[in-house]
Amino acid sequence: MWSRHVTTVLTVLAVGTASALMAPGTAAAAAPATCTPTKLPLPAGMTEGEIGAADSGSGFAGRVYNASTYHAVRWSGGKVIDYGDLPGLTATMTVSGVNRSGTLVGNTIDRDNSKAHAFRSRDGKLEALPLPSGIQSAFPTAINDAGDIVGWGYGSGGPSIAILWPASAPGTVVKVTGGLPTAGSSRAVGIDQDGTVLVNSYPVGNGTDPNAVYLWRAGSARKLAAPQGSTRVRGDAVSQGRVAGSASPADGRGAGILWDKDGSMVRPEKSGLLYSVNSTGQSVGFEPGGTLDEPLVTGVWQFGKETASLTGAEIRVAVSANDGTLGGSVRDYDVYRTFPTTWRCG
């Protein structure tokens, strides 16, 4: 079983030069390296926190909490900015996106667990986002530096549908349509700086297993290629035209996929799922496998090559920032508290 103690330096696997002491003809081994964690500050009165998103600079966003409430926060320049919550609505909160200007997006859940309320930040506090007709719950997933927000929502008994809150028309919301399947469900899960939206498409009657991935912009969409024999294909993040995601064949074993700018597929070594990619092509995800006693290993890849891996039940890496920093959280089982954490690997 993995150690449950938070360490100050995490040993990782990284690509490097072979040792000078290796005998001639010996295969080069991966050189040891370290990922060094840094615990981020918490606002007064908050006891725990988690990073959920990175902006296009060097800032992060996420949630902090105590025994009675959740708040949305941003970390920038070593400081934490507290945006509070949506009063009366927060049983729990997710912060899913942040842009360079510091606008946060996410959702809160009613205390009776009946609805999800989409929010953005403005003037230092959170405000509810408008919903399309027929949509009762909504989940923003990403925001770009222009301020365009994407996500998805659903109504009573209906399918989920991809949603766009355009920065060019503040206070409005539109359903993402055109070039996408008209049957089944759709969910917008990412947006690039040029406004291209990453959309997962779900077949009729299946709201959990997407079977197609699209890049949508201005009413037209391009379907991304999928590995032959895949029954489940999903995208999770888009940056500079590259998409991080995964595909599963009929036997259920997943494989991480990085779609490059031209739509070609890269199959990163030892990857089972990719869920974040930055502007340089660095992605984060999971290696295959994992059990309750030996949890999933978080991997870091540069295109097809794994450059680092972090192991431990206490570690949760959420995102790769554009400068290569990783953001997430560490659970300290000595005090039973979770702390927002960044890592630099190298």
Side-chain angles (χ1 to χ4, degrees):
M1 181 179 293
W2 302 108
S3 169
R4 291 183 177 270
H5 295 283
V6 178
T7 57
T8 57
V9 177
L10 300 168
T11 301
V12 303
L13 302 177
V15 178
T17 57
S19 169
L21 300 179
M22 289 177 61
T26 303
T34 56
C35 283
T36 304
T38 299
K39 187 186 298 183
L40 299 187
L42 296 170
M46 296 296 168
T47 56
E48 303 185 68
E50 303 160 13
I51 292 171
D55 63 28
S56 61
S58 57
F60 294 91
R63 64 181 188 177
V64 295
Y65 46 96
N66 55 31
S68 60
T69 189
Y70 287 82
H71 285 189
V73 300
R74 182 188 184 209
W75 291 274
S76 181
K79 298 181 180 180
V80 59
I81 305 167
D82 190 343
Y83 292 81
D85 66 355
L86 290 176
L89 297 176
T90 308
T92 187
M93 170 185 288
T94 298
V95 175
S96 51
V98 59
N99 66 9
R100 185 181 286 266
S101 66
T103 301
L104 314 180
V105 297
N107 71 84
T108 66
I109 305 296
D110 275 353
R111 294 193 184 278
D112 62 4
N113 204 34
S114 62
K115 291 182 182 179
H117 299 265
F119 68 75
R120 57 160 284 166
S121 64
R122 185 195 296 271
D123 299 329
K125 60 183 180 180
L126 303 186
E127 65 176 18
L129 285 167
L131 301 182
S133 176
I135 299 299
Q136 297 176 347
S137 290
F139 304 83
T141 55
I143 181 172
N144 63 12
D145 285 347
D148 299 310
I149 301 167
V150 296
W152 57 277
Y154 61 86
S156 178
S160 61
I161 187 165
I163 298 172
L164 168 66
W165 291 269
S168 59
T172 67
V173 57
V174 297
K175 297 177 181 179
V176 176
T177 59
L180 299 171
T182 57
S185 298
S186 63
R187 297 181 182 182
V189 295
I191 186 167
D192 219 336
Q193 297 295 6
D194 66 356
T196 299
V197 181
L198 177 63
V199 180
N200 286 329
S201 177
Y202 298 75
V204 175
N206 187 337
T208 59
D209 296 317
N211 64 350
V213 179
Y214 292 85
L215 290 174
W216 179 96
R217 187 178 182 189
S220 63
R222 172 169 61 94
K223 185 178 180 180
L224 296 180
Q228 186 174 3
S230 297
T231 56
R232 178 179 179 273
V233 184
R234 64 177 292 150
D236 281 286
V238 59
S239 180
Q240 297 298 311
R242 301 184 182 95
V243 174
S246 61
S248 297
D251 63 9
R253 291 176 298 186
I257 305 291
L258 181 69
W259 286 272
D260 212 342
K261 296 179 179 181
D262 61 0
S264 61
M265 289 183 293
V266 178
R267 305 288 293 272
E269 61 184 11
K270 296 172 60 180
S271 66
L273 167 69
L274 303 183
Y275 54 77
S276 177
V277 61
N278 72 7
S279 61
T280 71
Q282 177 178 285
S283 58
V284 178
F286 291 124
E287 294 183 5
T291 66
L292 291 176
D293 289 335
E294 296 185 356
L296 287 169
V297 175
T298 300
V300 183
W301 290 267
Q302 188 66 38
F303 295 103
K305 189 67 175 178
E306 188 175 36
T307 59
S309 63
L310 296 83
T311 304
E314 70 274 16
I315 298 170
R316 296 291 182 269
V317 179
V319 65
S320 171
N322 284 345
D323 65 358
T325 306
L326 309 180
S329 63
V330 172
R331 178 71 171 171
D332 187 337
Y333 285 97
D334 288 336
V335 294
Y336 288 96
R337 291 167 60 191
T338 299
F339 297 96
T341 304
T342 63
W343 292 264
R344 290 291 297 181
C345 302

